[in-house]
Amino acid sequence: MALPIFASDALSSVAYAPQELLMILLIGGTAFLALSPWVAGAVVLLLIVVVLSYRQLVKAYPSGGGDYEVARTNLGETAGVVVASALLVDYILTVAVSVASGVDNIISALPELAPWRVELAVGFVLLLIVMNLRGVREASRAFAFPTYLFIGSVGLMIVTGLVRWALGDAPTAASAAYDVQAVDLSQAAIVLLVLRAFSSGCSALTGVEAVSNGVPAFRAPKIRNAQLTLTAMGGIAIVLFAGLTLLALVAGVRYAEEPCRLVGFDCSQPQPSLMAQVAAATFGGGSILFFVIQAATACVLLLAANTAFNGFPLLGAVLARDGYAPKSLNTRGDRLVYSNGMIILGAAAIVVLVVYRANLTTLIQLYIIGVFVSFSLGQLGMVRHWRDVLRTRGGRRHEARSGLVINALGACFTVLVLVIVTITKFTHGAWLVFLAIPVLSVLMIGIRRYYRDVEHEIAIDDPGDEQVHYGAAGDVAIVLVNRLQKPVAKAIDYALAANHDTTLALHVAVTKDETDLLAEQWREHRMPVPLTIVESPYRTYAGPITAFVRGYRERHGASVVTVYLPQYIVGHWWENLLHNRRARRLSQQLMLVHGVSITLVPWLLDSSALIYGRRSRPLPGADRGGGRPAPSASFGLVDHVSDTAGPAGR
């Protein structure tokens, strides 16, 4: 079960890695395809070294932190956040590349869907978001079927094609008849072309690190089972990658970066993927096995995209716990999944797919930069780890020496490949990734420093320091009143129920007519708290209220002031546009006044029954006073409306 869960990304990459490798070589003409076995051999050698290196990483760091933990522990904070940034970018591109490749294979089987390429890609990402937000677990046995179907069907195709070749009946692709308009290349350009083909072929290595991130999910013995899964994944990926590359050469597959360079090809039609061309040549274009292979390839590519919906939110949660990302990324939704991380990942992948029109070739140029940044720093961190072990632990010297040799070799290979990838892909769009990784790294370090400063600011004083005194000299409640309505009456009822030392109502006088009407209604309804009116010559609200609160605290000492604000609760989104949201704006401004706390008193309008299942309650105090709050004592009004404040005012 571990193989389809953790290795689907790495295994699915063989669906596009041979295609991209041969496509780049074809730029120089069909003669350059003779170099493809050597380039593919270099990719296979690199894959072997990386798998062996990650076996050592799994042994040394079985906690599941992967390259991020290794780099942060052994190389410091900067290396750790660089790896984290690279992995976040890699997860986004994993979704984009896997979905784009899956759609490419669907279109190869059903060409009439070609005009809907971008829409299909976006639809699949939205489907993945919804599935994961609903809590669909990747460990479900249902995910094993497409992975093993892909391995089995592609393996059968390779064996069938090579057997036919050995018997003298080699499969022939329809594109084998096309000639290619080659580009004239200088000697230096030929070298760069071969290196670029190698870097594109290295996309077969994406996803190798997934096992090291998931060691805690294995059954005991965890390390041994993780290493066995890693080895099986590497072995299967090598066989499928090498077999597909060889079979594509045998069948004479032509897949061009610019389809119109294929002489005889109808450029108005979508170019079939390498997988589709090989399957059609081996089994026939309309055969059942052809459609089985295309369906299995599309399914495993979407499954590979789904692995990112597990990795990205988990990494975001780890970064949030370490203080390098917003705390909201460490919040689980109602399905116990990190829903915020999933939404961010899906939205970012959709933006990438739309911007690049779900073009696989263009997306591949961005893809493997982040992969090899994390590979390289992870391997360098492992070298530092084994050197520290050799210096401090005598009992593990033999294990440390072998680990040091393997990881040093892995570091040399991955750093070299990172340099090659940078040189060959930088001008083809990879510069965006090199821009995104440092920006994310700086942002993470800034977030970490911000949280550190806030933590220092809010930490409680040492018990040995000056004693903290709790409790204030007074307690006053202020109910903000615009017009005398049911929400205001409810707020007054709440304030009186809280039994503050002093309770009063405050009205900001913007127009004389409204103020006079309010004062008259206040007397008529015999409201149980005094009404204080403050003038606002500039027709603002926050300024006069703030001045009143500060003046009150100056006159009466360091009182705790609780401001009650009535607020509508509505059932339709458009109703929010029809209310001026004054309560929310005032609460945000009053929060900046020292000694003030805010209490929002909700009043549910009838439309709120659509959301909450109920309407507004009867007017507070109706059971006591015939539909209005009962006066607790005789009272008057203060300022120019008032007489003498009674007990309720005090």
Side-chain angles (χ1 to χ4, degrees):
M1 292 305 300
L3 193 65
I5 291 173
F6 293 110
S8 58
D9 186 10
L11 295 178
S12 67
S13 62
V14 302
Y16 49 80
Q19 172 179 295
E20 298 301 312
L21 187 155
L22 296 177
M23 181 195 71
I24 299 301
L25 288 176
L26 197 62
I27 293 174
T30 55
F32 280 81
L33 294 178
L35 298 173
S36 55
W38 299 99
V39 178
V43 173
V44 168
L45 176 61
L46 178 63
L47 183 54
I48 292 172
V49 171
V50 170
V51 168
L52 291 175
S53 300
Y54 271 91
R55 282 175 58 92
Q56 300 300 315
L57 190 150
V58 165
K59 183 192 299 181
Y61 290 90
S63 59
D67 289 321
Y68 167 68
E69 181 183 1
V70 173
R72 185 168 180 240
T73 302
N74 296 286
L75 302 178
E77 177 187 46
T78 301
V81 296
V82 168
V83 168
S85 302
L87 287 172
L88 292 176
V89 172
D90 178 46
Y91 281 129
I92 294 170
L93 292 174
T94 293
V95 176
V97 169
S98 298
V99 170
S101 183
V103 170
D104 203 30
N105 280 276
I106 292 173
I107 291 174
S108 297
L110 302 170
E112 56 271 17
L113 295 177
W116 303 95
R117 179 185 298 271
V118 177
E119 290 80 0
L120 282 171
V122 171
F124 280 125
V125 175
L126 291 174
L127 178 63
L128 289 170
I129 294 173
V130 172
M131 287 174 58
N132 283 278
L133 288 177
R134 294 291 297 171
V136 175
R137 291 183 57 83
E138 188 184 37
S140 170
R141 292 182 181 273
F143 285 98
F145 177 74
T147 303
Y148 284 114
L149 178 63
F150 173 77
I151 296 172
S153 59
V154 174
L156 176 63
M157 180 179 69
I158 292 172
V159 171
T160 302
L162 294 180
V163 168
R164 285 181 56 185
W165 178 42
L167 296 177
D169 181 28
T172 303
S175 61
Y178 301 147
D179 199 3
V180 179
Q181 296 177 0
V183 177
D184 292 331
L185 300 171
S186 64
Q187 209 166 27
I190 292 173
V191 174
L192 286 174
L193 184 70
V194 174
L195 291 177
R196 186 182 167 197
F198 170 71
S199 63
S200 293
C202 287
S203 58
L205 278 77
T206 56
V208 172
E209 77 286 350
V211 175
S212 67
N213 296 330
V215 178
F218 282 87
R219 292 178 180 175
K222 294 178 181 292
I223 295 176
R224 179 176 176 274
N225 288 334
Q227 289 180 325
L228 287 174
T229 302
L230 193 57
T231 303
M233 177 195 69
I236 295 172
I238 288 171
V239 170
L240 296 183
F241 174 78
L244 272 174
T245 304
L246 178 58
L247 192 54
L249 290 173
V250 169
V253 172
R254 305 287 186 265
Y255 189 89
E257 186 175 27
E258 298 178 17
C260 291
R261 287 187 176 275
L262 294 175
V263 179
F265 178 73
D266 183 3
C267 297
S268 64
Q269 297 297 316
Q271 186 176 199
S273 65
L274 180 142
M275 185 73 75
Q277 293 190 49
V278 172
T282 305
F283 299 121
S287 64
I288 294 177
L289 284 175
F290 169 80
F291 287 105
V292 167
I293 288 177
Q294 293 307 106
T297 303
C299 286
V300 81
L301 284 163
L302 293 176
L303 179 57
N306 191 68
T307 61
F309 279 92
N310 290 269
F312 185 98
L314 286 173
L315 178 59
V318 170
L319 291 170
R321 286 195 294 270
D322 290 343
Y324 292 106
K327 299 298 183 184
S328 58
L329 291 180
N330 194 31
T331 302
R332 294 182 184 268
D334 57 355
R335 295 281 177 165
L336 299 181
V337 295
Y338 296 111
S339 51
N340 292 328
M342 291 177 180
I343 293 172
I344 292 172
L345 171 62
I350 287 174
V351 169
V352 172
L353 285 167
V354 171
V355 169
Y356 289 95
R357 307 301 299 168
N359 187 300
L360 177 62
T361 300
T362 307
L363 291 170
I364 285 288
Q365 310 305 318
L366 310 178
Y367 192 17
I368 59 174
I369 299 294
V371 175
F372 278 94
V373 167
S374 59
F375 279 178
S376 301
L377 290 176
Q379 296 307 307
L380 290 172
M382 286 301 299
V383 170
R384 172 71 65 84
H385 167 78
W386 292 124
R387 290 180 62 186
D388 292 342
V389 171
L390 284 172
R391 283 197 298 264
T392 57
R393 301 177 188 175
R396 297 177 58 193
R397 297 188 69 83
H398 176 71
E399 177 186 336
R401 285 196 187 98
S402 63
L404 179 61
V405 171
I406 293 172
N407 288 121
L409 183 63
C412 292
F413 272 64
T414 53
V415 170
L416 177 62
V417 173
L418 178 60
V419 173
I420 293 173
V421 169
T422 303
I423 294 173
T424 57
K425 292 186 177 294
F426 189 85
T427 57
H428 292 84
W431 62 271
L432 283 170
V433 178
F434 279 101
L435 177 64
I437 290 176
V439 168
L440 278 175
S441 301
V442 171
L443 188 61
M444 287 183 191
I445 293 175
I447 291 173
R448 168 69 173 170
R449 291 178 178 173
Y450 170 79
Y451 278 133
R452 181 193 61 197
D453 293 343
V454 170
E455 190 66 25
H456 177 74
E457 182 179 343
I458 65 176
I460 197 164
D461 295 332
D462 188 358
D465 295 342
E466 182 181 351
Q467 184 65 35
V468 178
H469 297 284
Y470 295 94
D475 174 25
V476 60
I478 299 176
V479 181
L480 296 186
V481 178
N482 184 32
R483 291 183 295 167
L484 186 54
Q485 297 171 313
K486 291 179 180 180
V488 170
K490 180 178 179 181
I492 292 173
D493 191 67
Y494 278 15
L496 291 174
N499 199 25
H500 297 277
D501 292 343
T502 304
T503 301
L504 56 90
L506 181 66
H507 173 71
V508 178
V510 175
T511 64
K512 185 177 185 301
D513 291 342
E514 288 184 356
T515 303
D516 292 343
L517 177 61
L518 175 63
E520 181 181 346
Q521 291 176 335
W522 207 262
R523 295 189 185 96
E524 179 184 345
H525 288 273
R526 297 183 297 129
M527 300 306 294
V529 296
L531 175 66
T532 300
I533 296 175
V534 294
E535 299 291 339
S536 178
Y538 299 106
R539 306 177 68 85
T540 61
Y541 291 89
I545 295 171
T546 300
F548 175 82
V549 171
R550 287 175 175 161
Y552 187 94
R553 286 171 56 84
E554 289 176 2
R555 293 192 303 271
H556 298 85
S559 302
V560 174
V561 179
T562 303
V563 178
Y564 288 82
L565 292 115
Q567 180 171 321
Y568 292 135
I569 305 298
V570 299
H572 303 98
W573 64 268
W574 49 265
E575 289 182 88
N576 287 309
L577 304 176
L578 302 180
H579 298 286
N580 58 21
R581 316 302 294 166
R582 186 182 299 159
R584 183 165 296 177
R585 293 199 302 271
L586 284 174
S587 66
Q588 291 173 345
Q589 292 172 301
L590 291 174
M591 284 179 187
L592 302 176
V593 181
H594 181 67
V596 172
S597 61
I598 310 297
T599 298
L600 295 176
V601 182
W603 181 265
L604 278 66
L605 296 178
D606 286 348
S607 63
S608 65
L610 296 172
I611 299 177
Y612 300 101
R614 60 185 176 87
R615 293 178 170 83
S616 55
R617 297 176 179 177
L619 183 64
D623 57 337
R624 302 194 303 271
R628 65 177 184 273
S632 57
S634 59
F635 65 93
L637 302 177
V638 297
D639 287 356
H640 66 280
V641 189
S642 67
D643 238 40
T644 304
R650 295 193 298 272

